[in-house]
Amino acid sequence: MKRIITYGTFDLLHYGHINLLKRAKALGDYLIVALSTDEFNWNEKQKKCYFSYEKRKALLEAIRYVDLVIPEENWQQKKSDVHEYHIDTFVMGDDWSGKFDFLKDEGVDVVYLPRTPEISTTQIKQELKSCEQKNQ
């Protein structure tokens, strides 16, 4: 069984996220998603999510491409996750290209998938904020 892992916040889940998960799952048999916890997002990434960790986790678990959701609590856990979950392929969006190549030394393939160009959570948040400001 070929095991795949990817990481992310997956706030305001959209079709770009689904597209990434679908392509990641196509690389193997079992897809693990390491989902950033609220604390990790706030303390390390300096961002606040619209949906809580538990709600984002429930959304991901409802997607047929996702086999397991685990918490991402720090930047350093990637190496230990690769070993603990017997990962064959590490997948991220190409906006992270090159940043996780050190995992190749752990014996895993590292794949950077192209993002869906016309959609992003940041874009959605900006457009909603713009609409809100126009309506005030």
Side-chain angles (χ1 to χ4, degrees), residues 49-94:
C49 291
Y50 184 82
F51 291 112
S52 70
Y53 172 83
E54 289 303 323
K55 288 180 181 167
R56 291 180 287 121
K57 183 176 188 261
L59 287 167
L60 286 170
E61 289 173 336
I63 297 170
R64 68 179 174 188
Y65 309 114
V66 176
D67 296 296
L68 178 65
V69 179
I70 62 171
E72 179 187 22
E73 299 174 308
N74 60 69
W75 292 109
Q76 295 75 31
Q77 80 181 64
K78 290 171 180 62
K79 273 189 182 183
S80 60
D81 287 347
V82 160
H83 294 290
E84 181 177 345
Y85 294 98
H86 309 286
I87 300 302
D88 299 293
T89 305
F90 176 93
V91 175
M92 290 296 283
D94 64 0

Side-chain angles (χ1 to χ4, degrees), residues 106-124:
E106 304 301 313
V108 300
D109 294 327
V110 177
V111 176
Y112 300 101
L113 295 175
R115 293 176 59 95
T116 305
E118 70 277 6
I119 189 72
S120 76
T121 301
T122 302
Q123 173 193 353
I124 290 170

